[in-house]
Amino acid sequence: MAELSKTYDPRTVEPKWYQRWIDNHDFEADANSKKKPFSIVMPPPNITGVLTLGHVLNNSIQDILARRARMQGFEVLWLPGMDHAGIGTQTAVEKWLRKNEGITRHDLGREKFLERVLEWQDKHGGIIIQQLKRLGCSCDWSRQRYTMDESYARAVLEVFVDLYKNGLIYRGRRMINWDPAAQTALSDEEVVNKPQRGNLYYVRYEIVDQPGKFLEVATTRPETIMADTGVAVHPKDKRYAKLVGKSVWRPMPREKIPVVADEAIDPEFGTGILKVTPAHDKLDFEIGQRHKMAVIDVLTPDGKINCPAVPELHGLDRFEGRKRAAELLEARGLLAKAEPYENHVGFSDRSDVPIEPRLSEQWFLKYPKTKEALAVVKKHLIHFFPRHWEKVYEQWIKNIQDWCISRQVWWGHRIPAWYRRSQKSEVRGRKSEIYVGIKPPKGPGNWIQDNDTLDTWFSSWLWAYETMDRKTRKKFYPTSVLVTGPDIIFFWVARMIFAGLEFKPGKTTKTEDNIPFHDVFFTSIIRDKQGRKMSKSLGNSPDPLDLIDKYGADGLRFGLMRIAPSGQDIRFDEKQIEEGRNFATKLWNVARFRQMHGPTQLTPEELECFKHSSSKERPSNTGQRAELECNKHSSFGELSIYAIEVLARLNETIDAVEKGYRDYEFNTIAQRLYDFIWSDYCDWYVEAAKTEIFSADESKKKSALAVMDYVLSAIVRLLHPFMPHITEELWSLLGLGSGSIQFASLPVRAGLALNKDTANKRQLVAAIYETVQAGRNLRAQARVPSNQKAKFALRSKERELAREQETIARLLNASELIIDPNFQAGAGTPIATTVLGEILLIVDVDLSTERERLDKEIAKVEAELRTVEGKLSNKSFVDRAPKDVVELNRQRQKSFSEQLKKLKEAREKL
RNA sequence: GCGCGGUUAGCUCAGUGGUAGAGCACUACCUUGACACGGUAGGGGUCAGAGGUUCGAAACCUCUACCGCGCACCA
């Protein structure tokens, strides 16, 4: 066994183990394995992406689940990969080209540009994969996939063709969300609403029949007046009833437009009159359709005014145009007023510019299997964690609209639609012949492929199964769990469910074989200390690599997991990561302490000696299995009461951890492990066991060390999914098992007999620990420095106490501990009462100080006693509360009154 | 407008019917045979507010206030 160095150095230990795991192919899944499958597909990060804290959280959770499953004996597949991120990558490469070469994609042309994207991707893409490796992710890298892999891309196109043939994909000229910066259509989900300050302009439209009389129309967008092809009022609005069917003059360019009545108008808003601009507003478009209005487009694709009839505005940017339009109207006396106004405007999620509703020819998908997709979640064939996301999902599905899937970018899966020019028609024009298929049809004519590519999410929605080959799919699909952020519940989670149900990649056609995953765990969203979302532009996102450098990957992982509540936002504070690092150091040091006292003597068999013969078997509450079993192995000897206590707590921890995994409550698991290791094991058990460890009695020493080994072995295994590197290092250095900890079985409950004897011993330990704390408190209050040994006395009738004298003295740092039920102390000796009896600190203190202290203590106990007695004198409480609660209160009453008696006696002597 | 969360110590958060908790920060003592990235002890809370259910409410119900998120509307 190698020595443990004085300090733990994650920077050398972590990469060392990761490399070894890779070299051993430990993460590679075997599709032929007989073991039960456990599988996760990684939400593919963008090829342009770099690791953020969000990724760290997300992937740590996946790694934890994968590693735990491996220890449970599953055949584990954690399938990693990347997303080509159409718009995002194209934008990144364009930016790079502009900066480095001063050229645009149009300078290069489609083919050349795509070559440059691939070049760029090889050079700068996929950094995140290396970063995930540094985090310790146990992905099967041999199966790493990419949404642009040839076979994957082919599958995407095939799906398109199929859906087209089934009539679910269609091409149509409709209002879509146009991103003037990226110059592409977007789906509804890619538009986010933001409040915007602006003005509400009241524009005067002259009534044709009644020259000199005007209608006032409120609008936030005067720059679109030139595209007005009507005004509308509510049919029941009496103010304007007479005008319906007549015409007004559009202010600029001056032209007659009709007044129509339409239910969609809110009479309460503004003046109750809406200017109808079918080309630039979704609602207006619908009104326009109903009343057969013309559609005039006055904006260019990049958001500039296109209206030669009003030369003052023509060519201006849309926002500049808005200002100028208002000025023009004002100059012509057609602006009644303008008032400040705040409304919500849709912004492009990616470009962060206001989107422009635009009439455009695009490809749409009518979502398949929406009802079924809702049903599988509502019937819990798919479980959402936390559950409240079900409602969000339901609400979205119920209001679902067709999905605009075509994008006017070059980088992506090019739409497999082909057009043949017929005479005098444009490629995209209506008269051209269309063919949908992966390859252009043979035969005469020049078939030209559609210029558009598919929404990136149209490829991601196949991710759960298209990443797997046939054999892998047979073994590992449906996947066990999906771990992802709630922000992509619509983008990705819902659509993957649709895809699974529609394309049926499973073993059979049964629904349960085709859902993409059984569980979905939605992670928290990480915010900064002020509660703001982490973002590049705010610069409030710490680089996880720096954090790994400072605190180790294990420290980062553990620190983050301990504070990550399920389904709520996390406020990130580096302090929390520091705690993770400190915890790793604590673990390291307690292991080092163990190792200083010689090598592990326990055989693997002995390490499992408490294990039940069958995991199904419940701990017996009659027998004394643990002791019997352990007595077979000399190393354990007779367990000390402290050993029994720590083993019992270990059992409780194992149970809590198991429940935590069932509920996906990672913070609970982390916290329980933290508390058990730091407090129960290090602070109490190890300190108490030092008596035996430093004892001359070899059998006692051996027993204590054996228990330490047993617990340490359980600890590192429980902790391994969270902190893979340090636990592997300790597993190996302490010689706790042969082979890698990754495939060691998880610890099971120690078979402690749950009998009266154990209960009594545990009670005694609790009493001792309480007494120790009371004694330390006396020491602190009497201002005896903690490095100075002090003399204590314990008045107790407890019979078993004598054999614990040395340990109690050690825990108190006592020079001497007198155990005597009749011990007489001088006046003014500080005294405290516990369930064991009274503890006294033999030291002279000022009488008045001690009086004061006792008075306070008495007051405290009196208050407690009053509360308890109040309860017990309440007949309803005694009759109706559960028995154990009443009993507990009775005990407390007894204990408090005894304490009070003792304290008062001591007080009277002063 | 509809829906979903949240409000507990100075800070970050646990706690879902029975003695209000942790970490950090703070105060005091301590480099004692693993650990100062540490140990010991301590101070600090009308559990957002009001009402209700209950023997008993931080927890369950109703309402209110404030914060956050999603969806819809937004001329």
Side-chain angles (χ1 to χ4, degrees):
Chain A
M1 183 173 65
E3 286 225 341
L4 270 67
S5 62
K6 179 118 196 227
T7 53
Y8 173 61
D9 179 20
R11 276 192 257 191
T12 55
V13 172
E14 291 179 347
K16 174 187 81 182
W17 281 112
Y18 198 83
Q19 192 54 49
R20 220 171 280 183
W21 295 329
I22 293 285
D23 293 344
N24 285 339
H25 307 280
D26 286 336
F27 308 151
E28 289 173 25
D30 176 5
N32 295 317
S33 165
K34 293 231 167 70
K35 294 185 196 170
K36 283 187 182 166
F38 179 92
S39 55
I40 302 179
V41 290
M42 176 190 288
N46 292 348
I47 184 105
T48 55
V50 290
L51 197 69
T52 65
L53 278 174
H55 292 117
V56 172
L57 177 69
N58 196 280
N59 288 287
S60 293
I61 290 171
Q62 293 174 69
D63 196 41
I64 286 165
L65 292 170
R67 287 179 181 275
R68 177 167 163 97
R70 256 179 226 114
M71 296 178 82
Q72 287 174 316
F74 287 96
E75 184 64 31
V76 173
L77 169 63
W78 180 14
L79 204 160
M82 285 188 293
D83 194 300
H84 68 283
I87 301 174
T89 305
Q90 172 159 321
T91 310
V93 176
E94 281 187 284
K95 203 171 151 190
W96 188 87
L97 284 173
R98 205 177 314 125
K99 197 175 147 198
N100 291 280
E101 298 176 30
I103 51 174
T104 69
R105 73 180 149 119
H106 301 285
D107 295 333
L108 288 167
R110 186 168 189 141
E111 210 170 305
K112 281 264 158 46
F113 176 73
L114 290 178
E115 277 171 25
R116 301 302 292 274
V117 174
L118 294 174
E119 231 173 79
W120 185 93
Q121 166 188 301
D122 292 343
K123 245 199 209 156
H124 309 282
I127 299 169
I128 194 165
I129 295 295
Q130 294 316 311
Q131 296 178 315
L132 286 171
K133 289 179 179 171
R134 186 59 190 87
L135 189 62
C137 294
S138 60
C139 308
D140 183 350
W141 300 110
S142 73
R143 282 185 164 85
Q144 185 181 329
R145 297 303 305 272
Y146 182 33
T147 48
M148 291 301 268
D149 284 345
E150 208 183 315
S151 66
Y152 194 100
R154 194 182 167 85
V156 172
L157 301 185
E158 279 168 359
V159 156
F160 182 96
V161 174
D162 272 4
L163 290 168
Y164 177 81
K165 287 187 176 149
N166 294 335
L168 290 170
I169 283 182
Y170 60 91
R171 196 159 173 252
R173 195 172 166 76
R174 310 214 335 215
M175 288 302 281
I176 47 90
N177 307 297
W178 183 258
D179 178 337
Q183 297 204 36
T184 177
L186 298 176
S187 67
D188 296 341
E189 288 70 31
E190 286 164 295
V191 177
V192 287
N193 282 313
K194 291 188 187 182
Q196 280 294 294
R197 279 163 190 281
N199 289 308
L200 190 58
Y201 301 93
Y202 289 78
V203 183
R204 306 172 75 206
Y205 287 57
E206 190 171 17
I207 301 167
V208 174
D209 281 356
Q210 306 168 39
K213 281 199 85 175
F214 292 86
L215 284 181
E216 275 185 21
V217 179
T219 178
T220 53
R221 303 201 60 185
E223 77 278 17
T224 63
I225 282 176
M226 301 82 81
D228 289 357
T229 48
V231 297
V233 298
H234 193 273
K236 287 188 183 149
D237 194 331
K238 287 175 187 153
R239 291 173 293 179
Y240 310 114
K242 283 182 189 164
L243 291 168
V244 174
K246 308 215 161 145
S247 294
V248 293
W249 289 106
R250 178 174 65 203
M252 59 185 186
R254 190 171 161 89
E255 196 170 311
K256 275 188 207 170
I257 54 174
V259 179
V260 302
D262 196 286
E263 294 279 348
I265 309 305
D266 175 7
E268 303 292 313
F269 190 92
T271 55
I273 308 174
L274 171 72
K275 73 182 198 63
V276 184
T277 319
H280 299 298
D281 185 278
K282 210 178 160 192
L283 180 69
D284 289 14
F285 178 74
E286 285 162 16
I287 296 171
Q289 292 291 93
R290 285 198 280 272
H291 301 277
K292 304 208 163 47
M293 292 176 184
V295 179
I296 305 171
D297 188 336
V298 294
L299 287 173
T300 61
D302 61 346
K304 293 198 168 67
I305 309 265
N306 176 23
C307 184
V310 185
E312 295 95 327
L313 301 179
H314 183 64
L316 290 180
D317 172 78
R318 53 188 167 147
F319 303 108
E320 185 58 30
R322 182 173 306 169
K323 263 198 266 170
R324 283 290 294 139
E327 286 163 15
L328 274 178
L329 290 169
E330 176 139 50
R332 295 174 191 179
L334 294 172
L335 185 66
K337 60 178 173 179
E339 49 192 37
Y341 182 70
E342 188 177 280
N343 66 343
H344 285 257
V345 175
F347 274 67
S348 161
D349 199 14
R350 192 150 294 282
S351 319
D352 204 33
V353 297
I355 61 110
E356 206 53 66
R358 188 161 193 248
L359 189 63
S360 164
E361 180 121 42
Q362 300 288 344
W363 289 92
F364 295 90
L365 168 69
K366 198 177 294 204
Y367 283 107
K369 300 283 186 293
T370 53
K371 270 186 199 152
E372 294 85 343
L374 183 54
V376 294
V377 170
K378 283 190 99 170
K379 288 184 190 155
H380 298 131
L381 227 56
I382 295 176
H383 277 99
F384 281 5
F385 296 87
R387 208 163 143 184
H388 67 254
W389 290 108
E390 279 176 18
K391 275 216 161 180
V392 177
Y393 175 80
E394 178 176 355
Q395 202 183 1
W396 181 72
I397 285 197
K398 285 189 167 162
N399 295 312
I400 204 161
Q401 306 265 319
D402 291 356
W403 175 12
C404 174
I405 52 174
S406 43
R407 297 290 175 273
Q408 288 65 56
V409 294
W410 291 346
W411 174 238
H413 304 100
R414 192 160 173 182
I415 289 178
W418 310 81
Y419 308 95
R420 183 160 59 180
R421 280 166 195 273
S422 49
Q423 286 169 339
K424 287 187 189 172
S425 72
E426 288 298 317
V427 170
R428 287 178 62 91
R430 289 189 180 175
K431 281 172 190 163
S432 64
E433 216 180 320
I434 184 167
Y435 169 81
V436 171
I438 297 204
K439 285 188 177 148
K442 286 179 184 148
N446 193 15
W447 289 90
I448 294 171
Q449 188 169 8
D450 196 296
N451 274 318
D452 292 353
T453 52
L454 289 161
D455 182 358
T456 301
W457 296 104
F458 189 87
S459 62
S460 322
W461 72 327
L462 312 178
W463 191 251
Y465 67 90
E466 204 45 63
T467 45
M468 300 181 189
D469 59 36
R470 229 185 59 227
K471 245 169 75 184
T472 308
R473 203 183 291 179
K474 198 172 167 212
K475 174 88 186 165
F476 292 105
Y477 186 91
T479 63
S480 310
V481 52
L482 177 76
V483 179
T484 190
D487 47 337
I488 55 174
I489 183 170
F490 310 136
F491 282 113
W492 197 46
V493 180
R495 288 168 180 166
M496 272 200 289
I497 297 175
F498 298 150
L501 295 175
E502 172 70 11
F503 306 122
K504 299 202 187 330
K507 289 186 270 286
T508 73
T509 53
K510 285 186 199 153
T511 304
E512 61 264 37
D513 287 329
N514 289 294
I515 50 172
F517 24 71
H518 293 112
D519 291 352
V520 182
F521 176 68
F522 291 104
T523 63
S524 325
I525 289 176
I526 302 185
R527 297 176 180 277
D528 69 5
K529 268 169 115 173
Q530 284 98 54
R532 300 172 304 179
K533 232 175 172 168
M534 294 282 181
S535 84
K536 262 191 211 164
S537 53
L538 278 172
N540 59 352
S541 175
D543 182 348
L545 271 295
D546 291 344
L547 295 172
I548 289 176
D549 225 33
K550 268 171 95 176
Y551 305 110
D554 289 345
L556 171 62
R557 290 166 61 129
F558 192 86
L560 202 55
M561 293 316 301
R562 199 155 74 95
I563 54 149
S566 46
Q568 257 169 250
D569 295 353
I570 303 178
R571 294 206 177 202
F572 181 77
D573 186 343
E574 195 171 319
K575 272 260 154 43
Q576 295 155 333
I577 307 308
E578 197 181 321
E579 282 174 44
R581 188 270 319 261
N582 294 352
F583 178 60
T585 307
K586 185 75 181 177
L587 178 67
W588 181 259
N589 274 300
V590 78
R592 198 158 73 93
F593 174 73
R594 167 63 192 88
Q595 183 253 8
M596 287 168 128
H597 297 94
T600 299
Q601 291 156 356
L602 295 180
T603 61
E605 190 198 5
E606 282 176 317
L607 280 167
E608 292 295 328
C609 95
F610 294 102
K611 197 171 172 176
H612 299 289
S613 45
S614 147
S615 56
K616 278 182 197 159
E617 193 177 331
R618 301 189 52 179
S620 154
N621 50 12
T622 52
Q624 298 181 330
R625 185 187 313 275
E627 272 133 309
L628 287 177
E629 280 188 13
C630 289
N631 283 343
K632 282 189 232 155
H633 306 276
S634 55
S635 303
F636 287 93
E638 192 193 344
L639 293 174
S640 72
I641 55 173
Y642 313 101
I644 287 172
E645 175 65 17
V646 80
L647 290 171
R649 297 245 176 165
L650 174 62
N651 281 354
E652 290 162 13
T653 305
I654 288 172
D655 287 348
V657 166
E658 246 163 52
K659 184 177 186 307
Y661 276 107
R662 273 202 305 276
D663 300 339
Y664 291 94
E665 288 188 342
F666 299 96
N667 56 334
T668 310
I669 301 169
Q671 187 58 39
R672 284 299 294 239
L673 291 173
Y674 183 94
D675 288 342
F676 174 73
I677 293 167
W678 206 303
S679 170
D680 296 331
Y681 185 66
C682 294
D683 291 347
W684 289 108
Y685 178 68
V686 172
E687 290 306 320
K690 279 179 179 171
T691 306
E692 294 170 325
I693 292 166
F694 295 119
S695 146
D697 184 337
E698 276 301 316
S699 71
K700 280 190 177 172
K701 178 171 174 177
K702 219 176 157 190
S703 170
L705 291 178
V707 172
M708 282 189 77
D709 286 336
Y710 180 80
V711 177
L712 263 176
S713 163
I715 284 172
V716 290
R717 281 179 288 157
L718 287 171
L719 216 42
H720 177 255
F722 283 72
M723 308 180 100
H725 311 90
I726 190 175
T727 49
E728 181 81 285
E729 177 82 352
L730 289 174
W731 184 255
S732 139
L733 289 179
L734 294 176
L736 291 169
S738 56
S740 168
I741 192 173
Q742 296 174 99
F743 301 99
S745 63
L746 286 169
V748 296
R749 287 179 62 98
L752 273 186
L754 295 178
N755 57 18
K756 191 98 201 238
D757 182 52
T758 305
N760 285 344
K761 283 177 173 165
R762 292 197 64 187
Q763 231 169 47
L764 178 60
V765 175
I768 288 172
Y769 289 168
E770 185 198 334
T771 305
V772 166
Q773 286 190 303
R776 286 167 175 170
N777 177 282
L778 291 180
R779 166 202 284 278
Q781 298 215 13
R783 304 200 157 271
V784 180
S786 40
N787 62 339
Q788 193 177 309
K789 297 229 175 209
K791 194 172 162 186
F792 286 92
L794 185 50
R795 283 205 289 248
S796 174
K797 289 174 195 145
E798 175 61 49
R799 267 184 258 152
E800 301 289 321
L801 221 47
R803 60 199 297 187
E804 309 306 336
Q805 185 172 22
E806 199 183 339
T807 301
I808 299 171
R810 169 181 292 279
L811 293 174
L812 283 167
N813 194 24
S815 54
E816 190 188 352
L817 173 67
I818 302 158
I819 299 180
D820 177 358
N822 302 308
F823 181 82
Q824 296 297 313
T829 304
I831 182 169
T833 59
T834 73
V835 288
L836 264 189
E838 300 100 68
I839 178 129
L840 296 98
L841 174 63
I842 316 298
V843 71
D844 287 330
V845 292
D846 186 45
L847 285 184
S848 62
T849 315
E850 181 58 10
R851 247 182 244 137
E852 213 173 281
R853 204 185 62 77
L854 274 178
D855 285 341
K856 259 195 217 162
E857 200 62 28
I858 288 168
K860 219 193 259 174
V861 178
E862 272 175 347
E864 299 262 28
L865 187 60
R866 267 199 304 276
T867 312
V868 174
E869 283 182 335
K871 272 191 187 176
L872 289 171
S873 63
N874 182 338
K875 198 164 175 300
S876 307
F877 171 74
V878 179
D879 290 349
R880 301 171 77 162
K883 269 187 199 159
D884 54 325
V885 173
V886 177
E887 185 49 36
L888 182 77
N889 278 279
R890 289 233 166 85
Q891 276 174 21
R892 296 187 68 215
Q893 182 193 25
K894 204 176 134 198
S895 151
F896 284 140
S897 39
E898 270 173 30
Q899 282 183 38
L900 200 57
K901 202 178 117 201
K902 302 268 169 64
L903 286 171
K904 281 186 171 162
E905 273 171 24
R907 176 67 180 79
E908 268 163 32
K909 285 187 190 160
L910 297 179

